[in-house]
Amino acid sequence: MLDFDVIQIGFGPVGQTNAALLGQRGHRVAVFERWPQVYPLPRAGHFDHEVLRIFQGIGVAEQIERHAIPIPDYDWVNGDGTLLLHMDWNQPTPSGWKSDYLMYQPYMEDALMRAVGVQPSVKVHLGWEATEISERADHVAVTLREGRLVDGVWTATGSTRTVTAKYLVGADGAGSLVRRATGIAMTDYGFEEDWLVLDVRPHDPDLTIDMPEAGQICDPARPVSLFRWLGREHCRWEFMLLPGESPEDMSTQDKAWELLARWGLDATNADVIRRAVYTFRSLIADDFRKGRALLIGDAAHQMPPFMGQGMCTGVRDAANLAWKLDLVLRGHSPDALLDTYTVERRPHADELIKTSIALGQVVCISDPEAAAARDTAFLTGQVPPPPPFPWITKGVLGPDGTGEAVGRLGVQGRLVHDGRTGLADDVTGTGWALLSRRSGLTEILSDEQRDFLARIGARVLHVTRADIDRPDTALDLDATYARWFDRLQADVVLVRPDYYVFGTAPDVASAPHLVDALRAAVSVKATASP
């Protein structure tokens, strides 16, 4: 018998999310993290509404939101302070949450680790480094060695172990051993810039600082990214290194205060809690899967931070992969279903990387003449708006009568159901959802179709503005779903566990065909990876 269902290497926010999602589904997961303790300082600083909905699904959205700040606007100005680009983040979202948030990563990780900790089937092993990976016909074996910190340096203790599982998930970051050991190559798009990141805690959290909530200063003298609220107690500045500047010189405390003086910060009113030079890169794995090994997060893709989508993209990976692993591990779907992980996630991540590069090329101009030409292009309307946020275009997708829904995020509104009122996922649960605005949905399905939906954990729900007291009916409190059905010109929508729409049906009579399409999609051979 194998030791586990899944071995996961790495335990950052993306790995924590993946472990919690698999644990919720009852799978035996062993997590191995090289470092003996969780990194105590922030790295990521942003998440969006979709990611918070994923966190909601593992029961920690309210804890995380408590320590996060919604940001309404993201403004880009030139060296003179003239507005070049405004991103309005006040718009409603399908997920039921604010559009975008800034957060202090250690607080978010505390909540995610609690979500993992309540899953009895998940075992977390800190201080264990993977050294060798071998794949067999029906399992994967991982050899590990134990280590501890000695004077701040990871030092092997001499203890080793080998564990086995059906699948291996590499959540082990940019230098991923899983990726290297399995021979997955990466494509490098060539963006590479060094930036100094300063995380600051004002002595008075309400200190007035003359800076935007979130913004970019596209000044050729020194491009700067700045965020007044990194969570509710901290703020962040990022400064591009100029030609001739070294990471060592830029990382000193004196240099930090020199750069922050413009905003009135010094040792009398603030503490610099982290100063580090990062190289922003743009890479993507050619495949997110090889055999029994799958990559998530930075192990699969790395992008410049100008869209704030690095960690978010990894969390989406975890949400996509978890439900597919669940179906395969339970025997409901063939192993080939896992090929759709690359089919769906790689193009999505690739688009975000390319958009992040394009935005980075706007910011990272240090030549005054080139910067002046850029400013003129923006101010005269010659620059097109950023492209729309990507959605899923291939993979486990079904029929779409209007082209408006499939592969895009499903909505979450407030419902009243079974005596409870709240956001839909909290009231009716997560997983597959077959939703209809007309009654009679359950009755029209065959016994075989109802059995299939029950086996994959799908809930079948009539969502209506009428107050009907039935176990399979929910009250659409704010007409969120009524407007959605109207826009889609559909009476039935089938939503996946990662909240993307699988397919729609124009009327209840067509719902059985939609269920049959899902059964075929999760059982037949997957589309080949690009």
Side-chain angles (χ1 to χ4, degrees), residues 93-304:
T93 75
S95 305
W97 299 95
K98 299 288 187 182
S99 173
D100 291 82
Y101 298 79
L102 292 174
M103 55 81 185
Y104 186 66
Q105 181 173 333
Y107 295 158
M108 179 191 70
E109 288 199 65
D110 285 347
L112 291 174
M113 285 187 291
R114 284 195 291 272
V116 175
V118 299
Q119 304 301 332
S121 64
V122 179
K123 308 299 180 186
V124 178
H125 308 268
L126 301 181
W128 285 90
E129 178 186 54
T131 59
E132 184 179 349
I133 295 166
S134 59
E135 184 172 328
R136 315 293 167 78
D138 63 347
H139 71 277
V140 62
V142 180
T143 300
L144 306 112
R145 62 174 182 166
E146 186 184 33
R148 61 171 177 262
L149 292 180
V150 178
D151 297 327
V153 177
W154 192 93
T155 305
T157 65
S159 296
T160 63
R161 62 187 298 192
T162 298
V163 292
T164 59
K166 296 175 183 176
Y167 291 98
L168 170 66
V169 174
D172 48 344
S176 172
L177 171 73
V178 176
R179 187 186 66 241
R180 289 183 284 111
T182 52
I184 297 176
M186 298 197 87
T187 295
D188 188 342
Y189 287 120
F191 185 95
E192 188 170 315
E193 296 287 351
D194 291 336
W195 284 65
L196 170 68
V197 178
L198 298 178
D199 287 312
V200 177
R201 180 189 288 117
H203 295 167
D204 175 6
D206 278 332
L207 179 69
T208 299
I209 307 174
D210 186 16
M211 61 190 294
E213 296 274 304
Q216 301 283 342
I217 301 176
C218 305
D219 186 350
R222 170 91 66 190
V224 182
S225 304
L226 61 174
F227 307 94
R228 171 58 187 90
W229 295 99
L230 196 70
R232 298 187 179 273
E233 301 168 9
H234 303 81
C235 38
R236 172 175 287 180
W237 283 261
E238 298 171 355
F239 301 91
M240 192 178 91
L241 272 62
L242 302 176
E245 292 180 332
S246 71
E248 294 76 20
D249 292 340
M250 289 292 289
S251 300
T252 67
Q253 187 81 348
D254 288 344
K255 188 65 177 180
W257 292 128
E258 175 189 327
L259 293 167
L260 294 171
R262 171 179 175 179
W263 291 275
L265 294 176
D266 56 37
T268 67
N269 61 9
D271 297 316
V272 177
I273 63 170
R274 186 183 68 129
R275 54 185 195 277
V277 172
Y278 284 88
T279 301
F280 298 154
R281 292 190 170 92
S282 54
L283 302 101
I284 188 165
D286 293 346
D287 206 316
F288 288 10
R289 178 199 185 186
K290 187 170 183 181
R292 294 184 174 273
L294 303 113
L295 305 178
I296 60 176
D298 285 354
H301 42 71
Q302 297 148 51
M303 67 187 71

Side-chain angles (χ1 to χ4, degrees), residues 435-438 441 461-463 485-486 488-493 504-509 511:
L435 308 175
S436 172
R437 63 170 164 181
R438 309 293 180 199
L441 179 59
L461 203 62
H462 172 209
V463 183
F485 284 123
D486 283 342
L488 301 183
Q489 300 177 34
D491 279 356
V492 182
V493 181
T504 65
D507 48 51
V508 171

Side-chain angles (χ1 to χ4, degrees), residues 295-345:
L295 305 178
I296 60 176
D298 285 354
H301 42 71
Q302 297 148 51
M303 67 187 71
F306 304 105
M307 286 187 72
Q309 284 295 323
M311 183 197 75
C312 295
T313 303
V315 172
R316 289 186 189 92
D317 294 343
N320 185 293
L321 180 59
W323 71 259
K324 293 175 179 176
L325 273 172
D326 177 57
L327 290 180
V328 173
L329 289 169
R330 292 187 186 281
H332 298 320
S333 297
D335 173 88
L337 178 67
L338 298 177
D339 290 336
T340 67
Y341 172 57
T342 297
V343 170
E344 295 184 357
R345 290 301 308 139

